[in-house]
Amino acid sequence: MMRSRRVFFTIILMCAGALMLFAGIVSGEPSSVMRKAVYICLECIGIG
Amino acid sequence: MARRLVQLLTALIYNINIKGFFAGGIYKGRLKSVCVPGLNCYSCPGAVGSCPVGALQSSVGAVRNGISFYVIGFLILTGSIFGRFICGWACPFGFLQELLHKIPSPKLRKKRAFGVLKYIKYVVLAVFVLLLPAYFFIRDGVTVPAFCKYICPAGTLEAGVPLVLLNESLYQSIGRLFSWKLLVLAAAIVLSVFIYRPFCRFVCPLGAVYALFNRVSVFGIKSEEDKCTLCGACARACKSDIDPSVNPNSGECIRCGDCVRVCPTGAIRLGAMYFNKPGDSPKRRDAR
Amino acid sequence: MPGKYGVLAFFIAVLMLFCAACEITAKEDAQDSPSARPSADEQPAGTARPEPTAIVERGFGIGESLPVFYVPTVEGGTFTLSENTGKPVFINLFATWCGPCVYEMPDINRLYGELGDEVTFIIVDIGEDSAAAQAFAEGNGYSLPFAYSPDGALFSDYDIEYIPQTFILDADGTIVEFFGGASDYERFLEAVRKAMKQ
């Protein structure tokens, strides 16, 4: 891939990632992630 | 080697809640709202962060946007900066597979089948991480973390086994699903001895995500065409069956640095992709 | 270019930082103390404390009494365990986002339809509020009595580590059976029958 094209994609993706990350934080998603993560996921460990 | 050290330390950091193993329970604090970049089950007694794959699945349908922008944004940002550097330097389960591969045995390398098997991980990503959770949410109103539930051996090893051994009530509740997951774990462990990082290359959906970013990530493999003598040493050294002189930032490359060490002219280096000054003399950096 | 020791020092510093952050943000882990059992004056009157036949969770086992708890119900009142002796009690802890919990609920609802007069049922939504529990009940057409515990601190000295959990108590409040994880109609029925006999 040409270097300038590569740089373009990298910057676009980093910006998109950062934007989505902040959008998620502002929506209160981290606490939703936490709420699931503080209970043992029985399905994940192979029970029920 | 620096990489081994980083692998060990990240494995420790992700699972620093040692007292969870004594209490038979998991960490319940606020740090769990943060995802760690590697595959580390959030039901592991030691885990202090969330697994991005687990968090992604459990968000399907359960958050306002239908899926977590927070987790996807984290994956895109991490991928576009590091790509599969995370796999090679910051994933405990990958680390384990590499240690198992050090066990002396005949090794299976460069098999034609591997060229096809590597696409399975994208199917796993699409079906088990995204489609099945969405299907169950639409049908039953609740998300089923299909990858975690039916496949992930990291969860079985880090979370399933310790919790079941430490909690009598959980031990009583074991059924067929647990047996299946143990089988998957056993297969991953046994195959790791003969094949280099088989789970990472063929199954891991997180590896699939990061692989998509390998060609554009900020950090990667730099290859200087005018220094390359096409001697083939890098391709022989590469345990992931890549030829770095031809395909340096392939989606399969976990940036382990083996190719860098064997290159006789210093044509290949690990590093930031955008900071070559013209005429920059590439003294061979210590990539250990 | 940091040397090997620079990298090591950096990571040790990060490690220590994470230890500190983990300790500061971890919830108080009440069951670390081995004396996390209901105090004698909280026992339902008239029950001796038998030896547990099997340890169910850190804190209590089959044959012991469940710690007294009270929890707001979706109807607006309060369910208090100590006021509900005299009939067997079926307690289920769940959450609306938890797959196994949701999949076993129809079986529990069916059991309630058949035995709701002879057995007290209370279904507690852990970590969520009244609205979520109510929406779940109405959306699925369940007649079960729902309650909720937004902070999940249902029992003062027992951390809820996972859901679903089901406790089946006899008329004296003694634990007859415990299900860690999801179960089904047949197993629930068998346990409730055992509780009704005692």
Side-chain angles (χ1 to χ4, degrees):
Chain A
M1 187 182 306
M2 272 198 62
R3 186 169 141 168
S4 52
R5 203 185 158 98
R6 199 182 196 284
V7 173
F8 170 75
F9 276 125
T10 306
I11 294 185
I12 285 278
L13 284 170
M14 281 175 68
C15 290
L19 269 166
M20 285 185 86
L21 184 70
F22 284 120
I25 292 177
V26 160
S27 290
E29 284 173 9
S31 67
S32 166
V33 167
M34 193 194 91
R35 206 160 22 99
K36 312 284 174 64
V38 297
Y39 293 106
I40 297 173
C41 166
L42 292 179
E43 289 172 296
C44 304
I45 66 175
I47 295 174
Chain B
M1 282 159 33
R3 186 169 80 93
R4 287 278 176 249
L5 199 60
V6 174
Q7 284 181 304
L8 179 64
L9 286 170
T10 50
L12 283 175
I13 290 177
Y14 295 169
N15 295 295
I16 201 75
N17 184 46
I18 310 284
K19 73 175 185 219
F21 290 99
F22 296 106
I26 61 174
Y27 170 75
K28 293 163 93 70
R30 285 198 301 272
L31 273 183
K32 276 253 171 96
S33 53
V34 178
C35 292
V36 295
L39 200 73
N40 200 74
C41 186
Y42 53 30
S43 291
C44 171
V48 295
S50 277
C51 172
V53 179
L56 190 62
Q57 287 164 88
S58 62
S59 80
V60 169
V63 293
R64 191 152 41 111
N65 299 308
I67 194 165
S68 176
F69 277 18
Y70 170 61
V71 178
I72 293 186
F74 170 82
L75 289 173
I76 293 178
L77 190 60
T78 309
S80 53
I81 296 177
F82 294 105
R84 291 195 85 175
F85 252 110
I86 302 293
C87 302
W89 294 63
C91 180
F93 199 65
F95 183 37
L96 172 69
Q97 291 170 78
E98 288 189 51
L99 294 177
L100 289 167
H101 197 66
K102 283 185 172 310
I103 296 173
S105 84
K107 304 297 178 191
L108 289 166
R109 286 187 58 181
K110 300 202 190 330
K111 300 292 176 198
R112 193 100 56 91
F114 296 173
V116 176
L117 290 175
K118 71 182 182 189
Y119 292 110
I120 294 180
K121 57 182 184 287
Y122 299 100
V123 175
V124 170
L125 174 64
V127 173
F128 285 85
V129 177
L130 298 171
L131 289 176
L132 280 178
Y135 168 71
F136 283 110
F137 181 77
I138 292 171
R139 190 188 79 164
D140 301 328
V142 67
T143 14
V144 172
F147 170 74
C148 303
K149 179 171 179 176
Y150 295 112
I151 302 180
C152 187
T156 313
L157 180 67
E158 296 183 301
V161 168
L163 287 172
V164 148
L165 291 176
L166 293 165
N167 289 286
E168 178 68 29
S169 56
L170 290 177
Y171 184 77
Q172 306 285 359
S173 306
I174 291 178
R176 271 205 304 264
L177 178 64
F178 193 78
S179 310
W180 165 252
K181 293 209 74 189
L182 275 182
L183 196 66
V184 174
L185 175 63
I189 289 178
V190 169
L191 286 173
S192 294
V193 175
F194 304 101
I195 305 175
Y196 184 68
R197 295 182 74 146
F199 178 77
C200 308
R201 293 161 69 189
F202 307 141
V203 184
C204 184
L206 191 56
V209 169
Y210 291 143
L212 297 171
F213 292 93
N214 252 8
R215 287 194 203 283
V216 296
S217 60
V218 171
F219 294 100
I221 299 237
K222 292 196 277 195
S223 156
E224 315 235 0
E225 277 177 46
D226 36 324
K227 290 201 161 42
C228 176
T229 59
L230 293 174
C231 66
C234 54
R236 279 192 300 275
C238 179
K239 294 207 192 67
S240 303
D241 301 342
I242 302 165
D243 184 351
S245 61
V246 166
N247 205 4
N249 285 301
S250 129
E252 297 308 297
C253 175
I254 58 165
R255 282 84 192 263
C256 68
D258 285 356
C259 56
V260 177
R261 257 181 298 131
V262 302
C263 178
T265 60
I268 294 198
R269 289 185 293 153
L270 287 176
M273 304 299 293
Y274 305 113
F275 300 111
N276 277 338
K277 297 192 290 292
D280 195 348
S281 146
K283 281 195 295 275
R284 207 129 51 103
R285 291 192 299 182
D286 185 2
R288 281 175 211 280
Chain C
M1 182 61 191
K4 256 194 295 210
Y5 296 111
V7 175
L8 182 59
F10 172 73
F11 270 98
I12 290 188
V14 174
L15 214 90
M16 283 167 42
L17 217 79
F18 266 91
C19 279
C22 164
E23 283 306 315
I24 292 171
T25 58
K27 287 222 292 236
E28 224 51 48
D29 208 4
Q31 72 268 18
D32 275 354
S33 60
S35 58
R37 295 185 184 259
S39 56
D41 52 346
E42 284 190 47
Q43 294 301 321
T47 52
R49 284 210 61 183
E51 280 303 300
T53 55
I55 298 300
V56 166
E57 285 295 336
R58 297 175 299 287
F60 33 81
I62 291 178
E64 292 198 313
S65 302
L66 206 63
V68 168
F69 71 94
Y70 59 87
V71 66
T73 65
V74 151
E75 270 139 37
T78 305
F79 175 93
T80 309
L81 183 61
S82 52
E83 290 170 10
N84 277 280
T85 52
K87 279 202 291 189
V89 188
F90 183 106
I91 303 169
N92 176 261
L93 309 179
F94 85 109
T96 62
W97 49 261
C98 156
C101 311
V102 169
Y103 286 122
E104 70 172 358
M105 203 59 77
D107 280 0
I108 298 178
N109 194 53
R110 177 181 162 197
L111 199 63
Y112 176 68
E114 295 170 5
L115 294 170
D117 298 325
E118 294 140 74
V119 177
T120 306
F121 281 73
I122 186 75
I123 315 296
V124 188
D125 192 350
I126 300 296
E128 298 185 299
D129 57 19
S130 176
Q134 201 156 0
F136 178 76
E138 285 166 14
N140 290 286
Y142 292 137
S143 47
L144 287 157
F146 281 89
Y148 57 97
S149 175
D151 59 3
L154 192 65
F155 307 113
S156 58
D157 52 6
Y158 165 55
D159 238 356
I160 293 168
E161 289 284 344
Y162 59 85
I163 40 177
Q165 294 183 38
T166 304
F167 298 89
I168 297 179
L169 317 181
D170 65 15
D172 300 322
T174 312
I175 300 174
V176 164
E177 189 62 88
F178 170 79
F179 295 98
S183 192
D184 53 44
Y185 175 80
E186 280 78 26
R187 274 177 266 249
F188 286 141
L189 182 62
E190 193 188 317
V192 168
R193 283 219 182 102
K194 195 159 53 153
M196 293 199 297
K197 274 201 212 80
Q198 302 184 223

